[in-house]
Amino acid sequence: LIPLLKGVPPPSLVGHGKMKGTPEIPPTQSVEKRPAKELFLTLPGTNDRMPQVGLGMCCRPTAYDDVLAQRTVAWFLLLGGRHIDGAHLYLNHEAIGRGIREAMARGGVPRDEIFITTKVFPSHFGYNTTLNTV
């Protein structure tokens, strides 16, 4: 529904990998360094440091085609990004996960450096329900 409001048909209507956008990652692409002056937020309770700048996975054509969403996430991580924001409503959690796995396999992006934030419907609140949703 959200992509249609912006005039972008979702892949469920146009087909997997049919949209144009994020290019394939060349086999020679390696992991680049994280930004030199990267800004962080300290998370209460754990004191973990989460990057303030992240990749939002909504509201552009490449976010709604599962092939392009996977490539976008993998590119972002290989180029030094480490924070990805999604939502259950965007219907691209699986593609985000594939992009993370691809970046980890291709270039050794450490999983413990990646932060994923998401939003769920109120009807999916609760630890077990949320876990099953995402």
Side-chain angles (χ1 to χ4, degrees):
L1 180 64
I2 297 298
L4 289 175
L5 295 176
K6 301 274 186 190
V8 179
S12 56
L13 296 179
V14 298
H16 153 89
K18 303 254 173 149
M19 299 175 97
K20 296 193 184 304
T22 310
E24 290 188 38
I25 300 170
T28 57
Q29 180 67 40
S30 59
V31 178
E32 295 189 13
K33 292 182 181 180
R34 294 174 72 171
K37 296 184 179 184
E38 189 172 14
L39 300 174
F40 295 91
L41 296 170
T42 301
L43 301 177
T46 64
N47 288 327
D48 288 329
R49 296 176 62 219
M50 180 178 79
Q52 286 187 15
V53 176
L55 173 66
M57 291 304 296
C58 171
C59 308
R60 67 179 176 284
T62 57
Y64 301 113
D65 180 302
D66 58 334
V67 172
L68 298 181
Q70 176 180 337
R71 285 183 195 160
T72 299
V73 168
W75 266 117
F76 178 73
L77 294 170
L78 291 171
L79 294 176
R82 293 295 186 271
H83 178 191
I84 301 158
D85 179 58
H88 186 235
L89 180 65
Y90 308 158
L91 304 175
N92 58 13
H93 278 148
E94 289 181 23
I96 291 170
R98 287 193 305 271
I100 291 169
R101 285 190 295 278
E102 180 180 350
M104 289 170 54
R106 276 181 175 262
V109 174
R111 174 58 186 95
D112 63 352
E113 290 184 3
I114 302 170
F115 282 81
I116 305 163
T117 53
T118 193
K119 287 126 343 245
V120 295
F121 292 118
S123 60
H124 292 92
F125 285 176
Y127 182 80
N128 290 326
T129 308
T130 300
L131 230 102
N132 290 331
T133 301
V134 296

